[in-house]
Amino acid sequence: MINAGRIHSLNQLEYQSGSVVYWMSRDQRVRDNWALLYAQNQALKYRVPLKVVFCRAPKFLGARKQQYAFMMEGLRQVSQDLNLLHIPFHWLKGDPEKEVPEFLNRTRAGLLVTDFDPLKIKKRWKEKVCMNVSIPVADVDTHNIIPCRIASDKQEYAAYTLRPKIHRKLYEFLEPFPELKPHPFSIQTGSADQTGEKIGTDDLKIKETGDRTQFFQSGEKHAFSVLERFIREKLDHYSRDRNDPAKDGISGLSPYLHFGQISAQKIAIEVMETDVNEVSKESFLEELIVRRELSDNYCYYNNNYDSFEGFPQWARKTLSAHRRDPRENIYQWEQFENAETHDPLWNAAQMEMVKKGKMHGYIRMYWAKKILEWTSSVEAAVETAIALNDKYELDGRDPNGYTGIAWAIGGVHDRAWFERPVFGKVRYMSERGCRSKFDVDQYIQQIERL
Ligand SMILES: Cc1cc2nc3c(=O)[nH]c(=O)nc-3n(C[C@H](O)[C@H](O)[C@H](O)COP(=O)(O)OP(=O)(O)OC[C@H]3O[C@@H](n4cnc5c(N)ncnc54)[C@H](O)[C@@H]3O)c2cc1C
């Protein structure tokens, strides 16, 4: 059984006839996927075929070839695994708000299931799809452990206000996943249902251009190996090592979580069952569950999650009061992008992101705060940080990114600190502070060697 709290109807239409389609978008996996399980459940109930469709939107939020290559490799594995279960995978290219309804109407589908995403662009796609189809559409939250709409019905102030709400419902939703079954109802040869493309060689050309990152291998299988290695070698020391960018002490799971190649719920279950240092376990679960789901809460309930207007009132007031403060250094986009600031630590962080496709979590805070310090306005700082993050991070274009940047620059989910130039009462970070926490020179040397 799938907890009904995960399922949200996007329109009030009744099922009549036709196959069930899962429009896979945020959660690109076959295992441990409540949206796919729900879609199969409905297809079995109506005794009809089940298919999965993915629509590749061009230039999604500034994504580059590296990120598309990572995604495509993962989707290729998805299509192979679905094939073994007799579930066809259909591949569309173009604007999803146009392509998805066209596909559903052409193939005379009877029910659409999709996965939850709090980002504005995804909400808009779904609204447009609903306007252009006459079948029921269900949105299933398979990214969060506690579905975002159920965890809270409003924008939360900080982690301490969301945490008790999550803990109260955790054991209701943290249930083991059933297996997806080979699907018994297949599509009739020659029927309208048969249309749809396979992932073609054109789409895989990306791979041949050498744009794949050498640091992360894509797909569900690799996601599980990264998880196993993290549990075996790093989890025990997570609380000690996680804030040290010179040590490889964090999980490295964010690219897989971002593309939905692994389920956070599955990770949480595996970690809870492991016998390791309790403090480390708690600290990892706090990041994986509370902080991650707090980001979805912020983006879902605050449409200005990617701009100054989204910041809390105290932060807007204090940042506005310091607009005219003199800045010692002001850099332009190219200087940031090419890591040409006066600060070797900032440059190393930027290069880590560009070369690896993933910057260490602790240094991300410093990186974003310095962009505020070295740009002419807070609006320009937010824009620059988001554009760089979305362009270079494998895990970018994600609620965690918009919320992390809003935390660093705009005091979101944080409190007021001592007043100082440019930042006002927004928390400040200095290079000296970093030196007291970890070996800055060792980190810089490691990045130079990449
Ligand atoms: C300025 C800034 C930008 C950020 N941009 C992104 C981004 O684009 N994409 C992204 O996924 N995360 C982002 N984060 C959050 C965090 O830094 C990363 O999730 C983390 O570093 C990913 O590495 P990991 O999986 O090895 O982390 P681990 O420490 O192993 O954490 C495991 C998982 O917990 C979650 N998590 C950890 N820290 C946070 C956090 N602070 N907020 C929310 N969830 C968290 C992530 O899903 C992460 O994969 C950003 C943070 C800041 C301050």
Side-chain angles (χ1 to χ4, degrees), residues 307-308 311-312 314-316 318-319 364-373 375 377-386 402-412 414 422-427:
S307 70
F308 174 78
F311 298 168
W314 69 264
R316 275 183 281 138
T318 190
L319 287 164
R364 290 189 200 210
M365 302 190 276
Y366 177 81
W367 172 87
K369 283 182 182 289
K370 292 295 152 188
I371 295 179
L372 170 62
E373 198 173 332
T375 33
S377 72
V378 56
E379 285 81 3
V382 177
E383 208 178 300
T384 304
I386 289 180
Y402 303 118
T403 310
I405 288 166
W407 174 88
I409 296 180
V412 167
D414 204 358
V422 183
F423 284 76
K425 292 180 183 167
V426 170
R427 187 196 294 249

Side-chain angles (χ1 to χ4, degrees), residues 234-279:
K234 305 193 223 168
L235 178 58
D236 206 26
H237 307 295
Y238 180 78
S239 65
R240 187 194 69 193
D241 294 344
R242 75 189 186 94
N243 286 338
D244 186 344
K247 288 198 181 124
D248 182 24
I250 51 178
S251 69
L253 283 164
S254 59
Y256 303 99
L257 282 163
H258 167 71
F259 286 101
Q261 294 180 355
I262 192 164
S263 139
Q265 183 161 341
K266 180 72 175 178
I267 299 174
I269 292 171
E270 296 282 319
V271 165
M272 282 176 179
E273 286 173 354
T274 308
D275 183 19
V276 285
N277 177 315
E278 277 303 315
V279 178

Side-chain angles (χ1 to χ4, degrees), residues 166-181:
I166 288 199
H167 284 293
R168 227 174 288 137
K169 294 181 181 128
L170 195 56
Y171 287 94
E172 181 191 341
F173 285 95
L174 196 72
E175 44 190 351
F177 287 91
E179 290 269 311
L180 192 70
K181 304 174 185 70

Side-chain angles (χ1 to χ4, degrees), residues 230 238 242 249-255 257-258 284 286-293 295 358-362 364-369 385 389-390 393-408:
F230 171 64
Y238 180 78
R242 75 189 186 94
I250 51 178
S251 69
L253 283 164
S254 59
L257 282 163
H258 167 71
F284 178 74
E286 164 75 10
E287 300 301 326
L288 178 78
I289 306 177
V290 178
R291 300 283 164 170
R292 204 179 48 84
E293 305 205 351
S295 299
K358 181 175 180 292
M359 192 192 298
H360 188 281
Y362 185 77
R364 290 189 200 210
M365 302 190 276
Y366 177 81
W367 172 87
K369 283 182 182 289
N389 199 76
D390 282 357
E393 297 282 15
L394 274 176
D395 62 27
R397 305 151 311 284
D398 189 282
N400 279 348
Y402 303 118
T403 310
I405 288 166
W407 174 88

Side-chain angles (χ1 to χ4, degrees), residues 274-403:
T274 308
D275 183 19
V276 285
N277 177 315
E278 277 303 315
V279 178
S280 280
K281 208 193 249 192
E282 288 303 315
S283 139
F284 178 74
L285 292 171
E286 164 75 10
E287 300 301 326
L288 178 78
I289 306 177
V290 178
R291 300 283 164 170
R292 204 179 48 84
E293 305 205 351
L294 182 62
S295 299
D296 262 35
N297 171 277
Y298 179 61
C299 293
Y300 186 69
Y301 289 112
N302 188 334
N303 242 5
N304 293 318
Y305 59 74
D306 50 359
S307 70
F308 174 78
E309 285 69 36
F311 298 168
Q313 211 246 333
W314 69 264
R316 275 183 281 138
K317 192 169 158 208
T318 190
L319 287 164
S320 292
H322 287 270
R323 279 186 185 280
R324 289 168 190 273
D325 289 358
R327 273 90 167 142
E328 257 177 51
N329 303 284
I330 291 194
Y331 296 110
Q332 304 306 317
W333 165 264
E334 289 75 19
Q335 292 166 299
F336 282 123
E337 186 169 35
N338 299 328
E340 289 167 354
T341 75
H342 66 283
D343 176 0
L345 176 57
W346 193 92
N347 295 344
Q350 171 70 12
M351 286 322 288
E352 182 180 27
M353 174 171 73
V354 170
K355 290 190 174 170
K356 273 187 161 173
K358 181 175 180 292
M359 192 192 298
H360 188 281
Y362 185 77
I363 205 70
R364 290 189 200 210
M365 302 190 276
Y366 177 81
W367 172 87
K369 283 182 182 289
K370 292 295 152 188
I371 295 179
L372 170 62
E373 198 173 332
W374 302 331
T375 33
S376 53
S377 72
V378 56
E379 285 81 3
V382 177
E383 208 178 300
T384 304
I386 289 180
L388 287 172
N389 199 76
D390 282 357
K391 182 168 178 185
Y392 289 105
E393 297 282 15
L394 274 176
D395 62 27
R397 305 151 311 284
D398 189 282
N400 279 348
Y402 303 118
T403 310

Side-chain angles (χ1 to χ4, degrees), residues 428-440:
Y428 179 71
M429 275 175 85
S430 70
E431 197 248 14
R432 214 156 50 130
C434 289
R435 283 196 183 272
S436 71
K437 291 247 162 40
F438 67 94
D439 188 337
V440 165

